[in-house]
Amino acid sequence: MDQQEEINKELNELSPFLAKLKKEPDGFEVPHNYFKALPDEIMSRIEAEEQSSRSEAPGFSWLQQWQAALQGLLQPQYAMALASVVLLLVATWWWFAPNSAMAEQENVFATLSEEEILNYIDDHIDTFGPELVTVVEQADQPTDLLPALPIEDAEAEEYLDEILNELDDAELEELL
């Protein structure tokens, strides 16, 4: 016997169903020169679809393109990154921007004379806190007769003479 016949006989003994399937045709037949013509046919279909899509698709306006890009930016991961960058820029601007109200106040205070400031404090002493009131009251009382700056002996004598001339007898008695 032939080896093929032995295999078929053994297959019939083990599984008659499989042996029967082998005898039937598999049902698939490929037309003659199918694989030779297939690439050309596929390329012609692709070109036809591209031409039809080009003729049918209207051009997008700049507004539609901008909206599409904006929708891409509003995806969660990009939106969070964009919000973080904007927050960082605003915080940086706020931190380093000059405070115009503070600068205007400094300019106004720089133009005031010492006499105007003292007059204002005297007129509005009730509106200030008790700490400032005590400081102002202590400033009105002479604590030192000599200025804080180092001066020559001749200048010190002139200064003391001026102070003594300005004092009344009653004030002089209080000091002594």
Side-chain angles (χ1 to χ4, degrees):
M1 265 210 279
D2 192 4
Q3 186 178 6
Q4 184 67 28
E5 289 177 14
E6 284 181 29
I7 293 173
N8 286 338
K9 185 178 177 184
E10 187 178 335
L11 183 61
N12 277 335
E13 289 175 4
L14 292 175
S15 175
F17 178 73
L18 287 177
K20 205 190 289 183
L21 282 177
K22 181 70 175 163
K23 291 179 185 174
E24 295 177 8
D26 53 357
F28 295 107
E29 289 185 30
V30 178
H32 184 65
N33 291 331
Y34 177 75
F35 289 106
K36 289 182 182 176
L38 183 64
D40 294 332
E41 186 177 329
I42 291 173
M43 289 304 291
S44 65
R45 284 185 184 173
I46 290 173
E47 289 173 1
E49 283 183 23
E50 285 178 356
Q51 287 177 356
S52 66
S53 66
R54 285 183 198 152
S55 63
E56 291 176 6
F60 289 110
S61 70
W62 65 270
L63 181 62
Q64 290 171 336
Q65 291 174 353
W66 186 77
Q67 286 175 340
L70 186 62
Q71 285 177 350
L73 284 177
L74 294 179
Q75 297 299 319
Q77 67 266 16
Y78 298 122
M80 292 299 289
L82 183 64
S84 299
V85 168
V86 168
L87 180 66
L88 190 64
L89 288 174
V90 168
T92 303
W93 176 80
W94 180 76
W95 185 263
F96 289 112
N99 190 350
S100 60
M102 183 68 81
E104 288 176 15
Q105 285 180 351
E106 288 176 4
N107 289 339
V108 168
F109 290 134
T111 59
L112 293 176
S113 68
E114 186 176 333
E115 183 177 323
E116 290 173 325
I117 294 171
L118 291 175
N119 287 338
Y120 178 81
I121 291 174
D122 286 338
D123 293 342
H124 299 92
I125 196 74
D126 297 335
T127 59
F128 297 112
E131 296 85 17
L132 183 61
V133 172
T134 57
V135 169
V136 170
E137 288 173 355
Q138 290 174 358
D140 287 343
Q141 299 173 358
T143 55
D144 289 335
L145 296 177
L146 296 176
L149 297 174
I151 55 175
E152 299 289 327
D153 289 336
E155 291 177 344
E157 288 180 14
E158 288 177 21
Y159 183 71
L160 287 175
D161 288 338
E162 287 177 18
I163 291 176
L164 290 174
N165 289 337
E166 291 176 4
L167 293 176
D168 295 341
D169 291 335
E171 291 175 347
L172 190 56
E173 286 179 14
E174 284 179 19
L175 288 175
L176 296 174

